[in-house]
Amino acid sequence: MITLDTPVTYPGPLPAQADVVVIGGGVIGVCAALYAARAGHRVVLLEKGRVAAEQSSRNWGWIRQQGRDPDELPIMVEANKLWHELSAQTNVDIGLRQTGTTYLATTDAHMKGYADWLPAAYENGLDSKILSAQEVAAQFPDMRTAGIKGALVTPSDLRAEPWVAVPALAAIAARDGVQIVENCAVRMLDIAAGRVVGVITEAGRIAAPEVVLAGGAWSSLFLRNHGISIPQLSVRENVAATEPLPNIHDGAATTRKVAFRRRADGGYTLAPPGAPELFVGPDAVRAFPKYLAQLRAAPFGQRLLPFAPKGFPDAWGTARRWDAEQTTPFEAMRILDPAPNTRKLEKLLRDFQQLFPGLPPVRLQAAWAGMIDTMPDLVPVVDRVTTMPGLTIGTGMSGHGFGIGPAMGRVLAALATGGDVGHDLQRFRMSRFTDGSPMRPGPNV
Ligand SMILES: Cc1cc2nc3c(=O)[nH]c(=O)nc-3n(C[C@H](O)[C@H](O)[C@H](O)COP(=O)(O)OP(=O)(O)OC[C@H]3O[C@@H](n4cnc5c(N)ncnc54)[C@H](O)[C@@H]3O)c2cc1C
């Protein structure tokens, strides 16, 4: 786990100028900075806490093309390729392995959902396929397969260890010229004559004609202070890491009850799939109408909790307005570190043990939670802000930004600097929330 006790790798100093400032040292910001620097720009990456300390080190480590929204798929196929390239460019073993993703179905409706998604996979050249119940039993000989109807599998999907991988990507970015500064919150955009001219940080100003916001769970709060509204909320997801176990499956797989992924140390990272917990705050109340389509599609998909802990982005007491002289919510909480829901994780361990009854007693090595930046349609905002020239947003990855990170970063770098984005970004435009478009929720795992 990356915490405030983790030594600062990038202390500064803060440069006075840059071509591009990137806000947020998660996988998206790190990769945007990396590819902007490779395109020849002077880039500064600012992180209020530590690189990858929030979602980007807390995720399951699945790098999956499988099950993606069709409009994300071409970008994800590129990301898969970039992961292979980047892994070869670091001198660290980031745990990248091609071990596939498997979704296990217990109903005919799940199987139909898989079949409906396959054409998009084939259009993008993927090796995804449906397995019969017998084929599942052969591939998972230690699993209780009673009730399993079949599976969807994508053998070319990858896995990696997020807490190693994203800091390793940051090291590549630094090597390629990105000036990274940790412990440095961006308080506000610096604006002159209606356009971005830089950022104002807790340690001073940086002049820059282009700013990329990749602030994860904090992005909508940051934007609101500038009068820019996106209906991004954050939801808690819980994770358990087991001690090393015999190898019952080398890749990532999920039933409706338990998602599991073998780690490089021989343990499994477990989570209850599709069980987000939403702390209701003012932003959630405001954004509620936009989330109706998602709620209708999965009426029991979210658990609502009445108050976010103090200092969280959508806590009732969190400041919504500030100026450049004031300490902001970003400095007040350098690392968003929600307590995990231990009752849920105890049940999860039991579910995993029941799924693989032959395993020795499954013991917990670590447990944590992360706040996912979610959107009403479960796809991100990747766009330039028309009302604020110089600002590009890459946020709201909705629980699947780790895998797609390298390519989303490359796309954002191109978007901010006038390069070739290489993909159709219509689905990710910011105006979809205001132009009367119906919300069309993408797949949720
Ligand atoms: C439990 C869990 C499981 C997941 N599993 C997967 C998975 O298996 N596969 C997958 O593809 N995705 C997964 N995800 C999602 C994935 O982790 C995220 O989509 C991805 O990490 C988002 O990256 P990001 O850079 O946008 O945000 P983050 O990683 O959250 O980074 C944003 C950064 O911005 C910084 N910041 C914010 N505001 C400021 C400011 N004003 N100044 C300076 N810095 C600021 C924050 O401190 C933070 O470090 C999971 C997420 C969670 C929580």
Side-chain angles (χ1 to χ4, degrees), residues 47-289:
E47 166 53 52
K48 67 180 169 58
R50 301 289 184 279
V51 163
E54 296 195 348
Q55 295 177 84
S56 290
S57 60
R58 292 160 187 262
N59 64 71
W60 304 350
W62 295 32
I63 300 177
R64 66 173 172 86
Q65 303 159 108
Q66 176 158 303
R68 291 259 168 189
D69 187 275
D71 289 299
E72 272 188 11
L73 258 180
I75 306 176
M76 185 58 224
V77 170
E78 181 189 345
N80 190 287
K81 187 172 130 273
L82 293 180
W83 274 109
H84 285 288
E85 284 177 22
L86 292 168
S87 153
Q89 291 163 16
T90 154
N91 45 14
V92 179
D93 179 5
I94 63 168
L96 193 76
R97 306 282 183 275
Q98 186 175 319
T99 47
T101 302
T102 307
Y103 290 177
L104 296 150
T106 46
T107 67
D108 292 333
H110 300 156
M111 291 298 282
K112 180 175 180 312
Y114 301 162
D116 289 348
W117 178 80
L118 272 182
Y122 296 150
E123 265 172 43
N124 286 279
L126 291 187
D127 51 357
S128 309
K129 59 186 177 215
I130 303 268
L131 301 184
S132 66
Q134 290 76 8
E135 288 168 319
V136 171
Q139 288 210 2
F140 291 82
D142 303 307
M143 190 171 75
R144 266 176 72 156
T145 48
I148 301 238
K149 301 250 174 191
L152 175 67
V153 62
T154 303
S156 57
D157 277 359
L158 310 170
R159 63 171 161 98
E161 306 308 328
W163 47 89
V164 184
V166 180
L169 298 183
I172 300 178
R175 196 177 70 201
D176 286 1
V178 176
Q179 285 189 273
I180 305 176
V181 187
E182 290 176 312
N183 249 348
C184 183
V186 177
R187 289 182 169 171
M188 298 178 68
L189 300 168
D190 197 1
I191 295 163
R195 82 160 336 274
V196 170
V197 292
V199 293
I200 307 170
T201 80
E202 60 180 307
R205 277 170 205 264
I206 303 178
E210 292 296 335
V211 172
V212 175
L213 175 64
W218 301 92
S219 296
S220 57
L221 184 66
F222 183 90
L223 291 169
R224 178 165 296 282
N225 189 43
H226 289 287
I228 300 168
S229 170
I230 57 167
Q232 173 247 312
L233 301 175
S234 48
V235 292
R236 180 172 69 173
E237 291 271 7
N238 302 283
V239 185
T242 74
E243 290 185 347
L245 286 167
N247 190 350
I248 42 90
H249 182 63
D250 216 18
T254 187
T255 67
R256 293 285 144 166
K257 279 187 175 173
V258 47
F260 51 98
R261 193 261 306 172
R262 188 157 178 87
R263 290 193 312 275
D265 69 358
Y268 282 84
T269 294
L270 310 180
E277 297 166 315
L278 175 73
F279 296 106
V280 178
D283 290 348
V285 172
R286 232 182 327 250
F288 178 74

Side-chain angles (χ1 to χ4, degrees), residues 345-405:
L345 293 180
E346 280 159 16
K347 177 174 179 311
L348 182 70
L349 284 190
R350 289 196 300 274
D351 287 342
F352 184 60
Q353 186 96 59
Q354 277 170 17
L355 195 61
F356 294 98
L359 280 178
V362 176
R363 276 195 279 270
L364 195 65
Q365 186 179 76
W368 64 84
M371 296 302 291
I372 286 179
D373 54 339
T374 192
M375 300 300 296
D377 47 7
L378 298 160
V379 291
V381 172
V382 182
D383 203 355
R384 288 184 67 78
V385 181
T386 46
T387 54
M388 184 71 72
L391 178 61
T392 302
I393 299 181
T395 200
M397 298 292 145
S398 302
H400 40 268
F402 172 64
I404 207 169

Side-chain angles (χ1 to χ4, degrees), residues 187-188 200-201 205 322-328 331:
R187 289 182 169 171
M188 298 178 68
I200 307 170
T201 80
R205 277 170 205 264
W322 54 86
D323 61 41
E325 309 312 318
Q326 284 171 300
T327 302
T328 64
E331 295 140 86

